[in-house]
Amino acid sequence: MTVRRLTSSEQLIGAALCVGYVMMLVWTAPDLAMSRDESFYAHAAKEYGGWVVELLKNPSSALTREQIDRAWDYNWEHPAWMKLTFAWAWLVHQKLGLFSSESLAFRFPGMLTAGLLLWLIYAWGAVIIGRTGALFGALAFATLPRVFYHSHLAAFDVPIAFLITLTAYAYWRTLSDSKWALLTGLAFGLALATKHNSWILPGIFLIHYLWVRRQYALADRLDRPTLAWLPSMLVIGPIVLIATWPWVWHHTASRLLAYAQFHLSHVHYTYEYLGVSYFEPPLPISVPFIMTLFTVPLTILVLALIGLVHRRAALAPPWRTRRGDPTDTRADVLWLGCLAAPLLAIALPSSPIFGGTKHWITAYPFLALFAGWGFVAVTDLARGPLSTERRWPAWTFAALFLAPGLVQTTHSHPFGLSHYTPIAGGVAGAADLGMNRQFWGFTTGSLADWIVETLPDGGTVWTCDTTWGAWRMMQADRRLPSNIRPVRSMAEADLVLVHHEPHFNEVDFQAWMAFDDVQPVHVLTYDGVPIISVYQNRRKR
Amino acid sequence: MADPGRKSSLAAWVWVLVACVAVFELVADTVIRARVPTDASWEDATAFVRERFEPTDRVVAAPRWIDPLVRSYLGDLFSLSSASVGDLAGVRRVWEVGIRGATSRREPPALEESFGGVRVRMWPVTTDEVLFDFVEGIGRAKVDLLTERGAQPCPWIHAKVEGGGLGHGPLPPPDRFVCDPGRPWLWVGPTVVADLDLQPRRCVWQHPAGREPVRATFRDVPLGDKLVVQGGLDYNNERTAGNIAVRLRVFIDGRLAGEMRHQDRDGWSRLEIDTARLNGSVRQVRIETIAAKSHGRTFCWSASTRRAQGEP
């Protein structure tokens, strides 16, 4: 089977999606303070960037074990690829002042992967579903509220979603054209060098490959899909991982093992779900599915389900193949594997408690592709009763079906992680249900103006879940003046912030004790739901 | 047998289903946002409560997650005790400030007013009379650590309060008994801990020192029908399911009157000591905490003497 090439107009549409989305992200990024993890990665990027500069100036010094360890020991628990891109963007910004703020410099590479992911969803979708369904799928992905939030960040979640989708695409192309094997290995290497979500890819591909191979065998086809992707992934993948990660250039085996061990025995995050604050496994199996139901617009979920039903013949198991049946490389089966695997991995009772939708965000490009199929199916079916072959119903439907996601995503900003869809009852409904309200402390950005107004002559703030790195980034971005400083001891602070989430209740009560006062001077809310309480030190009022 | 023509014609209308879902989402989103109470509703509702509030009243939030908002408007009417959860002993009326139809009590209220999306309800309640609150009275107690060398007094000191943060446990008050500066957790004083359910508990921190009892002695305690003690560990330790019990013993005039044996994951425990035969008298009450090992035994208790009047 040969895969058709994209036309130049299709490439143009993909590029427009990419550029348009990145521009939207750049435009809306100033509303979002850096999240907890971003602050660590930004710090790591500065360390790594310093080493890169040293490498360019004085390679023999930079390559000594001491210099490598000095620069790369920080945040060793994640591979280096995206942090290196953050470092390069920051270094370029230092020289050329390309970006409007320092945080944007760190975030831009992640935003770029979000744009490229839209392009890729469109490109792959156009080949399999056709242009209309592909465009719908890409736009459906872009208007998922949680995806929109994560797409802004100097983090790994959207980059790994892009690289997993890219690897899956390259693998799928390899099945019919072994020239793609090299790119499969390279993409897999970059995925490995970005985040450990990539570890499940060989398993998905192997199942898919055996599925396709069995189908070809039963159909009695002489040609068989190539296995060239496997050695490429097994050889090039680790080479890219190691080559882009100087920390493992020494003690390679033991450090790679430590890295794997870190994630296999990861600490359990405390996560509120349906009224229970889970702090030890097992997290209920339903978490990724209910969280998907509560955070992905229902219209998109319904369309994805329709898409799955519509493609049931293409998802038929290989043993139903009869001699002489037509065969193909079963993109739908691969998509279903890439959609289901991340959700199932998190649902496993043995998985560490993560909870946040970002941990299975790699499933959502494929969910969007099935939504694209669903959209095509619905518009095709509608032509009968609407008795028209004109194109307007497709565009009308697209506008109507994308509107909920667009409206919800717009409203979710800048509280992306606190947003819940109407099926959960919205933000307040989710609070009633006892769902996770936020994490990472980035919502402090929504308080910046209030803090500046409250402390006109400067002062001190106990910042709760907002790291000092994130605080300093707000200062570097000129959202906070340098004379408003974070402090370690609550009782010494002018203001104490409490990010509302049940396991932070302890901090709320500490604030009561620190100031002998239970009255917040300000409560930041989102749709009426408390996000941050601020206590003010009466001695300093 | 199904008619294939009919089946396909039904499938042709699936777009109506999806369109309905999209319209539902758009309408529901608008309705949900429109239901969020305005600042004016909150101001009117809480002003209504404030005008009628009396010192023996208690204000509660429904649902519980709006508690920070209620405190932001009415926090000056709260003490550390009334902001914490616990029974209603000593309370004469309960005011509930609620949204979204949530309620904390099932029975019909004596008063109900709505202010936009904020509803105020009030119930008169008949509860035990509190004769002595040990948490409020801890500053007047004598605290010591009973060692092999005898009773080592723990002086009442004023010290800097430092720290705060996730997993750090409760903050100490600036004024507290300190038994051993070398063991910074070995202090006795009033604080607020997060219990197993992450709810606030106003209580006296009396971390056992091990097998050597930490003792708080209260003179001239007026007794009623009962002495109610409640206690537990800070949630960080309550969760651990270790097997080292904390024992809290209550002595009245030097005689053992009751004992609570608290295991991890018991949650906030209750001990009720019948003092009916001593009703009306004034006695010395001593509260001791011990444990086989001290590590992680972040025990905190509250207690009061009460005269029964109605609901507990």
Side-chain angles (χ1 to χ4, degrees), chain B residues 12-233:
Chain B
W13 289 98
V14 73
W15 69 272
V16 177
L17 168 76
V18 185
C20 285
V21 170
V23 170
F24 158 75
E25 278 203 277
L26 291 167
V27 172
D29 195 55
T30 309
V31 170
I32 286 166
R33 282 195 247 165
R35 285 185 62 197
V36 175
T38 61
D39 288 350
S41 298
W42 278 106
E43 282 158 13
D44 293 346
T46 51
F48 180 82
V49 175
R50 181 180 293 282
E51 280 169 20
R52 291 158 181 80
F53 186 84
E54 292 173 10
T56 51
D57 290 354
R58 174 80 57 89
V59 180
V60 297
R64 182 85 189 155
W65 56 261
I66 62 162
D67 185 54
L69 276 169
V70 173
R71 279 186 284 108
S72 74
Y73 286 98
L74 295 172
D76 56 311
L77 306 180
F78 287 69
S79 64
L80 289 174
S81 290
S82 65
S84 303
V85 296
D87 61 32
L88 292 173
V91 174
R92 295 287 166 259
R93 296 190 302 179
V94 175
W95 291 91
E96 178 192 82
V97 182
I99 62 168
R100 300 170 62 77
T103 187
S104 57
R105 300 178 77 84
R106 287 186 181 167
E107 62 270 32
L111 181 153
E112 177 170 335
E113 288 284 335
S114 285
F115 304 85
V118 183
R119 184 175 66 179
V120 172
R121 307 210 292 175
M122 187 276 285
W123 293 265
V125 290
T126 308
T127 60
D128 288 347
E129 179 189 359
V130 174
L131 302 177
F132 184 77
D133 184 332
F134 289 81
V135 180
E136 301 308 319
I138 185 66
R140 297 189 299 278
K142 185 182 125 206
V143 174
D144 55 34
L145 174 63
L146 189 62
T147 67
E148 290 171 351
R149 289 167 289 157
Q152 307 289 318
C154 305
W156 179 255
I157 61 153
H158 182 87
K160 200 174 172 183
V161 175
E162 287 186 295
L166 200 59
H168 288 208
L171 278 196
D175 297 304
R176 56 193 185 261
F177 296 99
V178 172
C179 298
D180 180 357
R183 289 181 281 180
W185 42 267
L186 199 50
W187 54 272
V188 175
T191 187
V192 178
V193 303
D195 70 10
L196 184 61
D197 299 321
L198 306 173
Q199 297 303 314
R201 297 286 181 174
R202 177 70 166 158
C203 52
V204 172
W205 175 273
Q206 193 167 321
H207 194 307
R211 294 184 190 280
E212 299 171 331
V214 179
R215 312 190 300 184
T217 306
F218 300 79
R219 292 181 184 280
D220 303 331
V221 176
L223 296 181
D225 302 314
K226 55 192 170 187
L227 195 165
V228 176
V229 184
Q230 297 178 80
L233 301 179

Side-chain angles (χ1 to χ4, degrees), chain A residues 279-280 298-299 378 382 385 397 407-408 411 428 432 437 489-491 503 505-506 509-510 513 518-519 527 535, chain B residues 12-13 15 22 25 29 33 36 65 71-72 76 100 161-163 165-169 198 200 235-236 239 265:
Chain A
F279 61 92
E280 62 183 3
L298 186 63
T299 311
V378 168
F397 288 149
V407 168
Q408 289 168 37
H411 182 60
D432 282 342
R437 200 171 301 168
S489 181
M490 268 187 188
H503 68 284
N505 285 359
E506 163 186 21
F509 314 148
Q510 289 167 351
M513 287 300 297
V518 300
Q519 185 167 30
D527 279 357
Y535 295 89
Chain B
W13 289 98
W15 69 272
E25 278 203 277
D29 195 55
R33 282 195 247 165
V36 175
W65 56 261
R71 279 186 284 108
S72 74
D76 56 311
R100 300 170 62 77
V161 175
E162 287 186 295
L166 200 59
H168 288 208
L198 306 173
Y235 82 101
N236 287 293
R239 284 172 165 182
R265 300 209 181 184

Side-chain angles (χ1 to χ4, degrees), chain A residues 17 118 131-145 296-301 303 368 371-372 375 393-410, chain B residues 18-19 21-23 25-26:
Chain A
L17 282 168
L118 288 196
R131 279 189 195 193
T132 311
L135 185 59
F136 184 88
L139 291 173
F141 182 78
T143 51
L144 300 180
V296 172
L298 186 63
T299 311
I300 302 304
L301 287 177
L303 283 170
F375 176 73
W395 295 109
T396 310
F397 288 149
L400 179 60
F401 298 165
L402 289 170
L406 187 63
V407 168
Q408 289 168 37
T409 299
T410 306
Chain B
V18 185
V21 170
V23 170
E25 278 203 277
L26 291 167

